[in-house]
Amino acid sequence: MESNGRKHETGLVKLKCSVQNYDWGRIGYDSRVARLFERNCGCQIDEKKHYAEFWMGTHVSGPSFIQGIDDLSLKSWIQQNPKVLGDVVVDKWGHDLPFLLKVLSVGRSLSIQAHPDKELAGFLHKLQPNVYKDANHKPEMALALTEFEALCGFISSEELDVVLETVPEIKEAVSNASADQNLTVDKHNGEVKEEGVLRSIFTQLMSVDREVISKALSQLINRLNRESETRQLTSKEQLVLKLEKQYPNDVGVLAALLLNHVKLEPGDGLYIAANEPHAYLIGECIECMAASDNVVRAGLTPKYIDVKTLCSMLTYKQGLPEVLKGTPINQYVRRYTPPFEEFEVDRCVLDQGASVVFPGLPGPSVFVIISGEGTMQTSSSEDRVSEGATLFAPAGAEVRVSTDSELQLYRAGVNSKVLLNSLT
Ligand SMILES: [Zn+2]
């Protein structure tokens, strides 16, 4: 054990990871999560089960374990060998990994949700510890592995005007009187006015009775079905029809009209700051986040919706989100850096016969092989790796990756801007 610990302070450590079988996940071998999981731990896949998320990290709800050492979690191992995190990380976040890396296989839409900032998370956790399980914020970033669709942030004021004009069912549901009233109250200040309208419509929509929502939805769906015979529906309208089939009578179907519908190509990324509404709709992605599982839901879900918390926490920022393309680090690696301290993600696509070096950083990294096979080397370890392999790299480890096939891997680490700033 002692020598094991010493070796691992510089070498790579293979991880055995967990999955989540949420019912929005893809089913059986259709799910990349299931295929990665099978290869990662040699577990049998249940072909009828949903495989939604593959988790790589130390979060209690889906911990990773050290391969080859029975029942030793990555969390306990880090606590026994805190040096593997590097001083900067230990000083800032203590003896734990500050980020959680995931692969998601989305078969049908996830709930519309937002994640609290640190202050609100602490408050919610104190108030309802069984709903809000930790006191941390959860900024997140998704990188598309396939074509990937999401709802993210509120639409612009211009688009909101169009929605209110062309979707009378929304106005009806929130009652014309109060929506118009807000328009006049806030008229003297352009920006405040629009945000006021959006906030008021969203809050009222989320708060009206279920019957009102049911009625508005059935009117909307009937109308769209009728109109689809004489005109091409917009992509947002098609989305509404699709979501209503997945979540009949759900307020989220109407709320979706107020959010941006974003379509990502493989390699595109999206980050989601605290208190921004979003929902992943379909596709597969890499996701990285601060180590937390705090979610406040807004619809497209049979689960608990905390309307009051949700409506008061949102920023009501409007307009399209930024789509990240990554910054090239070298010929094979692009880095995606969100405006959060806890993490960054590298996407590496190696040609057959190529090799690349990930220089040592003063913080820990987690690598996952998405496809192909090859070798990963440090000064004190060498591992054959293939699809599903997940490895922890301690602070300071320089990692050389070479491949005889084509290889795609991702590396998550603490935001290197934070790591490097702390050094100067
Ligand atoms: Zn989220």
Side-chain angles (χ1 to χ4, degrees):
M1 192 64 216
E2 183 61 34
S3 66
N4 213 344
R6 261 205 302 273
K7 178 196 158 229
H8 286 152
E9 276 177 26
T10 51
L12 296 174
V13 178
K14 278 193 169 172
L15 302 177
K16 221 166 137 172
C17 301
S18 305
V19 283
Q20 306 290 356
N21 302 101
Y22 307 136
D23 58 8
W24 50 259
R26 293 196 181 195
I27 298 173
Y29 286 100
D30 188 37
S31 164
R32 186 192 301 264
V33 165
R35 301 194 302 269
L36 291 174
F37 180 56
E38 182 180 52
R39 287 171 148 267
N40 175 268
C41 71
C43 306
Q44 190 86 32
I45 295 309
D46 182 338
E47 291 194 48
K48 293 196 182 72
K49 236 178 171 172
H50 295 269
Y51 288 87
E53 300 189 354
F54 182 71
W55 285 29
M56 297 158 274
T58 56
H59 197 279
V60 286
S61 306
S64 299
F65 293 86
I66 307 294
Q67 290 262 21
I69 308 177
D70 278 347
D71 295 333
L72 179 61
S73 69
L74 176 62
K75 191 182 178 114
S76 318
W77 180 77
I78 287 174
Q79 279 165 352
Q80 289 165 22
N81 304 283
K83 269 192 182 156
V84 298
L85 297 175
D87 294 342
V88 178
V89 172
V90 169
D91 287 350
K92 208 169 169 62
W93 289 288
H95 291 181
D96 202 0
L97 205 57
F99 59 85
L100 174 62
L101 180 64
K102 298 178 179 177
V103 179
L104 268 60
S105 290
V106 181
R108 65 168 182 153
S109 157
L110 280 73
S111 58
I112 298 176
Q113 55 188 248
H115 307 294
D117 57 29
K118 250 183 200 160
E119 195 185 347
L120 179 61
F123 175 74
L124 291 172
H125 177 61
K126 221 172 184 176
L127 213 65
Q128 291 176 277
N130 42 351
V131 179
Y132 303 104
K133 299 226 161 97
D134 55 74
N136 202 5
H137 67 162
K138 191 197 173 205
E140 63 190 29
M141 177 169 72
L143 305 186
L145 287 168
T146 61
E147 284 183 4
F148 191 81
E149 293 182 33
L151 294 170
C152 183
F154 286 109
I155 53 177
S156 66
S157 318
E158 293 75 24
E159 215 182 312
L160 179 62
D161 288 345
V162 174
V163 168
L164 292 180
E165 203 152 290
T166 55
V167 191
E169 294 83 0
I170 288 208
K171 252 193 163 176
E172 232 176 279
V174 301
S175 87
N176 294 328
S178 40
D180 288 344
Q181 201 177 21
N182 262 283
L183 271 166
T184 34
V185 169
D186 296 315
K187 218 155 207 165
H188 36 274
N189 179 330
E191 251 174 64
V192 172
K193 174 201 116 185
E194 293 300 350
E195 191 188 274
V197 174
L198 173 74
R199 186 186 191 119
S200 151
I201 289 172
F202 184 77
T203 308
Q204 290 176 64
L205 190 62
M206 296 307 296
S207 320
V208 292
D209 294 342
R210 275 193 86 95
E211 298 85 74
V212 176
I213 294 298
S214 274
K215 192 175 152 223
L217 269 173
S218 77
Q219 280 171 355
L220 173 61
I221 300 305
N222 286 337
R223 178 170 66 79
L224 292 181
N225 281 330
R226 216 170 41 239
E227 291 179 11
S228 70
E229 287 165 18
T230 52
R231 70 173 174 95
Q232 169 87 26
L233 296 182
T234 65
S235 77
K236 202 62 170 290
E237 288 170 334
Q238 291 171 30
L239 176 66
V240 162
L241 290 180
K242 219 189 292 176
L243 290 178
E244 202 274 338
K245 280 201 183 104
Q246 295 175 2
Y247 297 94
N249 286 326
D250 191 303
V251 63
V253 180
L254 288 172
L257 287 161
L258 305 178
L259 303 176
N260 298 300
H261 183 195
V262 185
K263 295 178 183 177
L264 303 181
E265 294 297 322
D268 288 351
L270 198 63
Y271 68 80
I272 291 149
N275 303 327
E276 292 296 339
H278 60 283
Y280 298 149
L281 300 174
I282 193 142
E284 294 183 302
C285 72
I286 294 284
E287 197 188 25
C288 198
M289 65 206 63
S292 165
D293 204 19
N294 279 325
V295 179
V296 182
R297 294 187 176 82
L300 304 182
T301 179
K303 292 184 188 162
Y304 174 65
I305 298 184
D306 188 345
V307 173
K308 231 173 158 182
T309 303
L310 178 88
C311 291
S312 59
M313 76 192 268
L314 296 177
T315 59
Y316 297 98
K317 211 176 93 192
Q318 290 179 258
L320 282 173
E322 182 189 2
V323 172
L324 304 175
K325 301 283 182 184
T327 310
I329 298 297
N330 56 50
Q331 193 184 346
Y332 301 112
V333 180
R334 296 186 85 85
R335 176 160 297 166
Y336 298 77
T337 311
F340 315 128
E341 294 186 325
E342 285 87 348
F343 59 89
E344 67 187 11
V345 176
D346 290 345
R347 175 181 195 251
C348 170
V349 182
L350 275 184
D351 299 334
Q352 186 168 12
S355 67
V356 69
V357 172
F358 289 85
L361 284 164
S365 295
V366 172
F367 287 87
V368 59
I369 313 294
I370 293 297
S371 62
E373 51 190 312
T375 305
M376 290 177 73
Q377 267 177 300
T378 67
S379 59
S380 64
S381 69
E382 179 170 337
D383 292 279
R384 279 299 290 174
V385 293
S386 60
E387 188 183 330
T390 304
L391 302 98
F392 176 90
E398 182 184 276
V399 181
R400 170 181 289 275
V401 186
S402 41
T403 178
D404 27 38
S405 61
E406 231 180 59
L407 184 140
Q408 189 182 163
L409 70 73
Y410 288 80
R411 180 196 73 89
V414 169
N415 192 322
S416 49
K417 284 186 178 155
V418 172
L419 291 176
L420 301 173
N421 278 343
S422 316
L423 292 181
T424 54

